[in-house]
Coordinates of all heavy atoms in Angstrom, one line a residue:
M74 N 119.5 96.5 125.7 CA 119.1 97.9 125.5 C 119.7 98.5 124.3 O 120.9 98.3 124.1 CB 119.4 98.7 126.8 CG 118.8 100.1 126.8 SD 119.6 101.1 128.2 CE 119.6 99.9 129.5
A75 N 119.0 99.1 123.5 CA 119.5 99.8 122.3 C 118.8 101.1 122.1 O 117.6 101.2 122.0 CB 119.4 98.9 121.1
G76 N 119.6 102.1 121.9 CA 119.0 103.4 121.6 C 118.8 104.3 122.8 O 118.7 103.8 124.0
K77 N 118.7 105.5 122.6 CA 118.5 106.5 123.7 C 117.1 106.5 124.2 O 116.2 106.3 123.5 CB 118.9 107.9 123.2 CG 120.4 108.0 122.7 CD 120.7 109.4 122.2 CE 120.0 109.7 120.9 NZ 120.4 111.0 120.3
Y78 N 117.0 106.8 125.5 CA 115.7 106.9 126.1 C 115.3 108.4 126.3 O 116.2 109.2 126.5 CB 115.7 106.3 127.5 CG 115.7 104.8 127.6 CD1 115.7 104.0 126.5 CD2 115.6 104.2 128.8 CE1 115.7 102.6 126.6 CE2 115.7 102.8 129.0 CZ 115.7 102.0 127.8 OH 115.7 100.7 128.0
R79 N 114.0 108.7 126.3 CA 113.5 110.0 126.7 C 112.1 109.8 127.2 O 111.3 109.0 126.6 CB 113.5 111.0 125.6 CG 113.0 112.4 126.0 CD 113.1 113.2 124.7 NE 112.5 114.5 125.0 CZ 112.1 115.4 124.0 NH1 112.3 115.0 122.7 NH2 111.6 116.6 124.3
C80 N 111.8 110.4 128.4 CA 110.5 110.2 128.9 C 109.4 111.0 128.1 O 109.5 112.2 128.0 CB 110.4 110.6 130.4 SG 108.8 110.5 131.1
P81 N 108.3 110.3 127.7 CA 107.3 111.0 126.9 C 106.3 111.8 127.8 O 105.5 112.6 127.3 CB 106.5 109.8 126.3 CG 106.7 108.7 127.2 CD 108.1 108.8 127.8
Q82 N 106.4 111.6 129.1 CA 105.5 112.4 130.0 C 106.2 113.7 130.5 O 105.6 114.8 130.3 CB 105.1 111.6 131.2 CG 104.1 112.3 132.1 CD 103.4 111.3 133.0 OE1 102.4 110.7 132.7 NE2 104.0 111.1 134.2
C83 N 107.3 113.6 131.1 CA 108.0 114.9 131.6 C 108.8 115.5 130.5 O 109.2 116.7 130.6 CB 108.7 114.6 132.9 SG 110.2 113.5 132.7
K84 N 109.2 114.7 129.5 CA 109.8 115.2 128.3 C 111.2 115.7 128.5 O 111.9 116.1 127.5 CB 109.0 116.3 127.6 CG 107.6 115.8 127.1 CD 106.9 116.8 126.4 CE 105.6 116.3 125.6 NZ 104.8 115.4 126.4
T85 N 111.7 115.8 129.7 CA 113.1 116.3 129.9 C 114.1 115.2 130.3 O 115.2 115.4 130.0 CB 113.0 117.4 131.0 OG1 112.4 116.8 132.2 CG2 112.3 118.6 130.5
N86 N 113.6 114.2 131.0 CA 114.5 113.2 131.5 C 115.1 112.3 130.4 O 114.3 111.6 129.7 CB 113.8 112.3 132.5 CG 114.8 111.3 133.1 OD1 116.0 111.4 133.1 ND2 114.2 110.1 133.4
R87 N 116.4 112.3 130.2 CA 117.0 111.4 129.3 C 118.0 110.5 129.9 O 118.7 109.7 129.3 CB 117.7 112.2 128.2 CG 116.8 113.0 127.3 CD 117.7 113.9 126.4 NE 116.9 114.7 125.5 CZ 116.6 114.4 124.3 NH1 116.9 113.3 123.7 NH2 115.9 115.2 123.5
T88 N 118.2 110.6 131.3 CA 119.3 110.0 131.9 C 119.0 109.1 133.1 O 119.7 108.2 133.4 CB 120.3 111.0 132.4 OG1 119.7 111.9 133.3 CG2 120.9 111.8 131.2
R89 N 117.8 109.4 133.8 CA 117.5 108.6 135.0 C 116.3 107.7 134.8 O 115.2 108.2 134.6 CB 117.3 109.6 136.1 CG 118.5 110.3 136.6 CD 118.2 111.5 137.5 NE 117.6 112.6 136.8 CZ 116.6 113.4 137.3 NH1 116.2 113.2 138.5 NH2 116.1 114.3 136.6
F90 N 116.6 106.4 134.9 CA 115.5 105.4 134.7 C 115.7 104.2 135.6 O 116.8 103.9 136.0 CB 115.5 104.9 133.2 CG 115.3 106.0 132.2 CD1 116.4 106.7 131.6 CD2 114.1 106.4 131.9 CE1 116.3 107.7 130.7 CE2 113.9 107.5 131.0 CZ 115.0 108.1 130.4
N91 N 114.6 103.6 135.9 CA 114.6 102.3 136.5 C 114.2 101.2 135.5 O 113.2 101.3 134.9 CB 113.6 102.2 137.7 CG 114.0 103.2 138.8 OD1 115.2 103.3 139.2 ND2 113.1 103.9 139.3
L92 N 115.1 100.2 135.3 CA 114.8 99.1 134.4 C 114.1 98.0 135.3 O 114.7 97.5 136.3 CB 116.1 98.5 133.8 CG 116.9 99.6 133.0 CD1 118.1 98.9 132.4 CD2 116.1 100.2 131.9
L93 N 112.9 97.7 134.9 CA 112.1 96.8 135.7 C 112.1 95.4 135.0 O 111.4 95.1 134.0 CB 110.6 97.3 135.8 CG 110.5 98.8 136.1 CD1 109.0 99.2 136.1 CD2 111.0 99.1 137.5
E94 N 113.0 94.5 135.6 CA 113.1 93.2 135.0 C 111.9 92.4 135.3 O 111.4 92.3 136.4 CB 114.4 92.5 135.5 CG 115.6 93.3 135.1 CD 116.9 92.5 135.5 OE1 116.9 91.9 136.5 OE2 117.9 92.7 134.8
Q95 N 111.3 91.8 134.3 CA 110.1 90.9 134.4 C 110.6 89.5 134.7 O 111.2 88.8 133.9 CB 109.3 90.9 133.1 CG 109.0 92.3 132.7 CD 108.1 93.1 133.6 OE1 107.0 92.8 133.9 NE2 108.7 94.2 134.2
V96 N 110.3 89.0 135.9 CA 110.7 87.7 136.3 C 109.5 86.9 136.6 O 108.9 87.0 137.8 CB 111.7 87.7 137.5 CG1 112.1 86.3 137.9 CG2 112.9 88.6 137.2
P97 N 108.9 86.2 135.7 CA 107.7 85.4 135.9 C 107.8 84.3 136.9 O 108.8 83.6 137.0 CB 107.3 84.9 134.5 CG 108.6 84.8 133.8 CD 109.5 85.9 134.3
K98 N 106.8 84.2 137.8 CA 106.8 83.2 138.8 C 105.5 82.4 138.7 O 104.5 82.8 139.2 CB 107.0 83.8 140.2 CG 107.0 82.8 141.3 CD 107.6 83.4 142.6 CE 106.6 83.4 143.7 NZ 107.2 83.9 145.0
P99 N 105.5 81.3 138.0 CA 104.3 80.5 137.7 C 103.8 79.9 139.0 O 104.5 79.3 139.8 CB 104.7 79.4 136.8 CG 106.1 79.6 136.5 CD 106.7 80.6 137.4
V100 N 102.5 80.1 139.3 CA 101.9 79.6 140.5 C 100.5 79.0 140.3 O 99.9 79.3 139.2 CB 101.7 80.8 141.6 CG1 103.1 81.4 142.0 CG2 100.8 81.9 141.1
K101 N 100.1 78.2 141.2 CA 98.7 77.7 141.1 C 98.0 78.2 142.4 O 98.6 78.1 143.5 CB 98.7 76.2 141.1 CG 97.3 75.6 140.9 CD 97.4 74.1 140.7 CE 96.1 73.5 140.1 NZ 96.3 72.1 139.7
L102 N 96.8 78.8 142.2 CA 96.1 79.3 143.3 C 94.9 78.5 143.7 O 94.3 77.8 142.9 CB 95.5 80.7 143.0 CG 96.5 81.8 142.5 CD1 95.8 83.1 142.3 CD2 97.7 82.0 143.4
D103 N 94.6 78.5 145.0 CA 93.3 77.9 145.5 C 92.2 78.8 144.9 O 92.2 80.0 145.2 CB 93.3 77.9 147.0 CG 92.1 77.2 147.5 OD1 91.0 77.8 147.4 OD2 92.2 76.1 148.0
A104 N 91.2 78.2 144.2 CA 90.2 79.0 143.6 C 89.3 79.7 144.6 O 88.7 80.8 144.3 CB 89.3 78.1 142.7
H105 N 89.2 79.2 145.8 CA 88.3 79.8 146.8 C 89.0 80.8 147.7 O 88.4 81.8 148.1 CB 87.6 78.7 147.6 CG 86.8 77.8 146.8 ND1 85.7 78.1 146.1 CD2 87.1 76.5 146.4 CE1 85.2 77.1 145.4 NE2 86.0 76.1 145.6
T106 N 90.2 80.6 148.1 CA 90.9 81.5 149.0 C 91.8 82.4 148.3 O 92.2 83.4 148.9 CB 91.7 80.6 150.0 OG1 92.7 79.9 149.4 CG2 90.8 79.7 150.7
G107 N 92.3 82.0 147.1 CA 93.3 82.9 146.4 C 94.7 82.6 146.9 O 95.7 83.2 146.4
D108 N 94.9 81.7 147.9 CA 96.2 81.3 148.4 C 97.0 80.6 147.3 O 96.4 79.8 146.5 CB 96.1 80.5 149.6 CG 95.5 81.2 150.8 OD1 95.5 82.4 150.8 OD2 95.0 80.5 151.7
I109 N 98.3 80.8 147.4 CA 99.2 80.0 146.5 C 99.3 78.6 147.0 O 99.7 78.5 148.2 CB 100.6 80.7 146.4 CG1 100.5 82.1 145.6 CG2 101.6 79.8 145.6 CD1 101.8 82.8 145.6
I110 N 99.0 77.6 146.2 CA 99.1 76.3 146.7 C 100.3 75.5 146.0 O 100.7 74.4 146.4 CB 97.8 75.5 146.5 CG1 97.3 75.5 145.0 CG2 96.7 76.0 147.4 CD1 96.1 74.7 144.8
K111 N 100.8 76.1 144.9 CA 102.0 75.5 144.3 C 102.7 76.6 143.5 O 102.1 77.4 142.9 CB 101.5 74.4 143.3 CG 102.7 73.7 142.7 CD 102.3 72.4 142.0 CE 103.5 71.6 141.5 NZ 103.1 70.4 140.8
E112 N 104.1 76.6 143.7 CA 105.0 77.4 142.9 C 105.7 76.5 142.0 O 106.4 75.5 142.4 CB 105.9 78.2 143.8 CG 105.2 79.2 144.7 CD 106.1 80.1 145.5 OE1 107.3 80.1 145.1 OE2 105.7 80.7 146.4
Y113 N 105.7 76.8 140.7 CA 106.3 75.9 139.7 C 107.8 76.3 139.4 O 108.1 77.5 139.5 CB 105.6 75.9 138.4 CG 104.2 75.4 138.5 CD1 103.1 76.3 138.5 CD2 103.9 74.1 138.5 CE1 101.8 75.9 138.6 CE2 102.6 73.6 138.5 CZ 101.5 74.5 138.6 OH 100.2 74.1 138.7
V114 N 108.6 75.4 139.2 CA 109.9 75.7 138.6 C 109.6 76.0 137.1 O 108.8 75.4 136.5 CB 110.8 74.5 138.6 CG1 112.2 74.8 137.9 CG2 111.1 74.1 140.1
S115 N 110.3 77.1 136.6 CA 110.0 77.6 135.3 C 110.2 76.4 134.3 O 111.2 75.7 134.3 CB 111.0 78.7 134.9 OG 110.7 79.2 133.6
G116 N 109.3 76.2 133.4 CA 109.3 75.2 132.4 C 108.7 73.9 132.9 O 108.7 72.9 132.1
E117 N 108.2 73.8 134.1 CA 107.7 72.6 134.6 C 106.2 72.8 135.1 O 105.7 72.2 136.0 CB 108.5 72.1 135.8 CG 109.9 71.6 135.3 CD 110.7 71.0 136.5 OE1 110.2 70.9 137.6 OE2 111.8 70.5 136.2
T118 N 105.5 73.7 134.4 CA 104.1 73.9 134.7 C 103.3 72.8 134.1 O 103.7 72.0 133.3 CB 103.7 75.3 134.1 OG1 104.1 75.3 132.7 CG2 104.3 76.4 134.9
E119 N 102.0 72.8 134.5 CA 101.1 71.8 134.1 C 100.5 72.2 132.7 O 100.6 73.3 132.3 CB 100.0 71.6 135.1 CG 100.5 71.1 136.4 CD 99.4 71.2 137.5 OE1 98.2 71.3 137.2 OE2 99.8 71.1 138.7
P120 N 99.9 71.2 132.0 CA 99.3 71.5 130.7 C 98.3 72.6 130.9 O 97.6 72.8 131.9 CB 98.6 70.2 130.4 CG 99.3 69.1 131.1 CD 99.8 69.8 132.4
F121 N 98.2 73.5 129.8 CA 97.3 74.6 129.8 C 97.8 75.8 130.6 O 97.1 76.8 130.7 CB 95.8 74.3 130.1 CG 95.3 73.1 129.4 CD1 95.0 71.9 130.0 CD2 95.1 73.2 128.0 CE1 94.5 70.8 129.3 CE2 94.6 72.1 127.3 CZ 94.4 70.9 128.0
H122 N 98.9 75.7 131.2 CA 99.5 76.8 131.9 C 100.5 77.5 130.9 O 101.6 77.0 130.7 CB 100.3 76.3 133.2 CG 100.6 77.5 134.1 ND1 100.3 77.5 135.4 CD2 101.3 78.6 133.9 CE1 100.8 78.6 136.0 NE2 101.4 79.3 135.1
M123 N 100.0 78.6 130.4 CA 100.8 79.3 129.4 C 102.0 80.0 130.0 O 101.9 80.6 131.1 CB 99.9 80.4 128.7 CG 100.6 81.1 127.5 SD 99.5 82.4 126.9 CE 98.2 81.3 126.2
A124 N 103.1 79.9 129.4 CA 104.4 80.5 129.8 C 104.3 82.0 129.5 O 103.8 82.4 128.5 CB 105.6 79.9 129.2
Y125 N 104.9 82.8 130.3 CA 105.0 84.3 130.1 C 105.8 84.5 128.8 O 106.9 84.0 128.6 CB 105.7 85.0 131.3 CG 105.9 86.4 131.1 CD1 104.9 87.3 131.1 CD2 107.2 87.0 130.9 CE1 105.1 88.7 130.9 CE2 107.4 88.3 130.7 CZ 106.3 89.2 130.7 OH 106.5 90.5 130.5
N126 N 105.3 85.3 128.0 CA 106.0 85.7 126.7 C 106.0 87.2 126.5 O 106.1 87.6 125.3 CB 105.4 84.9 125.5 CG 104.0 85.3 125.3 OD1 103.4 86.1 126.0 ND2 103.4 84.8 124.2
G127 N 105.9 87.9 127.5 CA 106.0 89.4 127.4 C 107.4 89.9 127.4 O 108.3 89.1 127.3
P128 N 107.5 91.2 127.4 CA 108.9 91.8 127.3 C 109.7 91.5 128.5 O 109.2 91.2 129.6 CB 108.6 93.3 127.2 CG 107.2 93.5 127.9 CD 106.5 92.2 127.6
H129 N 111.0 91.5 128.3 CA 112.0 91.2 129.4 C 112.0 92.3 130.4 O 112.2 92.1 131.6 CB 113.4 90.9 128.8 CG 114.5 90.7 129.8 ND1 114.4 89.8 130.7 CD2 115.6 91.4 130.0 CE1 115.5 89.8 131.5 NE2 116.2 90.8 131.1
I130 N 111.9 93.5 129.9 CA 111.9 94.7 130.9 C 110.8 95.6 130.6 O 110.3 95.7 129.4 CB 113.3 95.4 130.8 CG1 113.5 96.1 129.5 CG2 114.4 94.6 131.2 CD1 114.6 97.1 129.5
R131 N 110.4 96.4 131.6 CA 109.6 97.6 131.5 C 110.5 98.7 132.0 O 111.5 98.4 132.6 CB 108.3 97.5 132.3 CG 107.5 96.3 131.9 CD 106.3 96.7 131.0 NE 105.4 97.6 131.6 CZ 104.5 98.3 130.9 NH1 104.4 98.1 129.6 NH2 103.7 99.1 131.5
V132 N 110.2 99.9 131.7 CA 111.0 101.1 132.1 C 110.2 102.1 132.9 O 109.1 102.4 132.5 CB 111.6 101.7 130.8 CG1 112.5 102.9 131.2 CG2 112.5 100.7 130.0
Q133 N 110.8 102.5 134.0 CA 110.2 103.6 134.7 C 111.1 104.9 134.6 O 112.3 104.8 134.8 CB 110.0 103.2 136.2 CG 109.3 104.4 137.0 CD 109.1 104.0 138.4 OE1 109.9 103.3 139.1 NE2 107.9 104.4 138.9
C134 N 110.5 106.0 134.4 CA 111.2 107.3 134.4 C 111.4 107.6 135.9 O 110.5 107.6 136.7 CB 110.3 108.4 133.8 SG 111.0 110.0 134.1
A135 N 112.7 107.8 136.2 CA 113.0 108.1 137.6 C 112.9 109.6 138.0 O 113.2 110.0 139.1 CB 114.5 107.6 137.9
A136 N 112.3 110.4 137.1 CA 112.0 111.7 137.4 C 110.5 111.9 137.7 O 110.2 112.6 138.7 CB 112.4 112.6 136.2
C137 N 109.7 111.3 136.9 CA 108.2 111.6 137.1 C 107.5 110.3 137.5 O 106.3 110.3 137.9 CB 107.6 112.2 135.9 SG 107.3 111.1 134.5
G138 N 108.1 109.1 137.3 CA 107.5 107.9 137.8 C 106.7 107.1 136.7 O 106.2 106.0 137.0
L139 N 106.6 107.6 135.5 CA 105.9 106.9 134.5 C 106.5 105.6 134.2 O 107.7 105.4 134.0 CB 105.9 107.8 133.2 CG 105.2 107.1 132.0 CD1 103.7 107.2 132.1 CD2 105.7 107.8 130.7
V140 N 105.6 104.5 134.1 CA 106.1 103.2 133.7 C 105.5 102.9 132.3 O 104.3 103.0 132.1 CB 105.6 102.1 134.7 CG1 106.0 100.7 134.2 CG2 106.2 102.4 136.1
E141 N 106.4 102.6 131.4 CA 106.0 102.3 130.0 C 106.9 101.2 129.4 O 107.9 100.8 130.1 CB 106.0 103.5 129.1 CG 104.7 104.3 129.1 CD 103.6 103.6 128.5 OE1 103.8 102.5 127.9 OE2 102.4 104.0 128.7
S142 N 106.6 100.8 128.2 CA 107.5 99.8 127.5 C 108.8 100.5 127.1 O 108.9 101.7 127.0 CB 106.8 99.3 126.2 OG 106.7 100.3 125.3
E143 N 109.8 99.7 127.0 CA 111.1 100.2 126.5 C 110.9 100.9 125.2 O 111.6 102.0 124.9 CB 112.1 99.1 126.4 CG 113.5 99.6 126.0 CD 114.5 98.4 125.9 OE1 114.1 97.4 125.3 OE2 115.7 98.6 126.3
Q144 N 110.1 100.3 124.3 CA 109.9 100.9 123.0 C 109.4 102.3 123.0 O 109.8 103.2 122.2 CB 109.0 100.0 122.1 CG 109.5 98.7 121.7 CD 109.6 97.7 122.8 OE1 109.0 97.8 123.9 NE2 110.4 96.6 122.6
T145 N 108.5 102.6 124.0 CA 108.0 104.0 124.1 C 109.0 105.0 124.5 O 109.1 106.0 123.9 CB 106.9 104.0 125.2 OG1 105.8 103.1 124.8 CG2 106.3 105.4 125.4
F146 N 109.9 104.6 125.4 CA 111.0 105.5 125.8 C 112.0 105.7 124.6 O 112.6 106.7 124.4 CB 111.7 105.0 127.0 CG 110.9 105.3 128.3 CD1 110.0 104.3 128.8 CD2 111.0 106.5 129.0 CE1 109.3 104.5 130.0 CE2 110.3 106.7 130.2 CZ 109.4 105.7 130.6
Q147 N 112.2 104.6 123.9 CA 113.2 104.6 122.8 C 112.6 105.5 121.7 O 113.3 106.3 121.0 CB 113.4 103.2 122.2 CG 114.3 102.4 123.2 CD 114.5 101.0 122.7 OE1 113.6 100.4 122.1 NE2 115.6 100.4 123.1
A148 N 111.3 105.4 121.4 CA 110.7 106.2 120.3 C 110.8 107.7 120.6 O 111.2 108.5 119.7 CB 109.2 105.8 120.2
Y149 N 110.6 108.1 121.9 CA 110.8 109.5 122.2 C 112.2 109.9 122.2 O 112.6 111.1 122.0 CB 110.1 109.8 123.6 CG 108.7 110.2 123.4 CD1 107.7 109.1 123.2 CD2 108.2 111.5 123.5 CE1 106.4 109.4 123.0 CE2 106.9 111.8 123.3 CZ 106.0 110.7 123.1 OH 104.6 111.0 122.9
G150 N 113.1 108.9 122.5 CA 114.5 109.2 122.5 C 115.1 109.5 121.1 O 116.1 110.2 120.9
Q151 N 114.3 109.1 120.1 CA 114.7 109.4 118.7 C 114.4 110.8 118.2 O 114.9 111.3 117.3 CB 114.1 108.4 117.7 CG 114.5 106.9 118.0 CD 116.0 106.7 118.0 OE1 116.7 107.1 117.1 NE2 116.5 106.0 119.0
L152 N 113.4 111.4 118.9 CA 113.0 112.7 118.5 C 114.0 113.8 118.9 O 114.8 113.6 119.9 CB 111.7 113.1 119.3 CG 110.5 112.1 119.0 CD1 109.3 112.6 119.8 CD2 110.1 112.1 117.5
P153 N 114.2 114.8 118.1 CA 115.2 115.8 118.4 C 114.9 116.6 119.6 O 113.8 116.7 120.0 CB 115.1 116.7 117.1 CG 113.8 116.5 116.5 CD 113.4 115.1 116.9
Ligands
ZN243 ZN1 109.3 111.3 133.2

């Protein structure tokens, strides 16, 4: 985490946030039932199973509930 946060929706909260850690869990589903038929150990997926490459965290404003990227909260944190 680097830089101050500020919520772009309620515009007042600069202190209370939930950091939502993204923990990918690769799975294989049954195409017909949607049931999980296999859970992979990270890095041991089958060919053509793309690994998660999104952000490590998302951020929720703990005042109004908005969920956005960390960059969004940081950008508003830079404003006076
Ligand atoms: Zn907010």
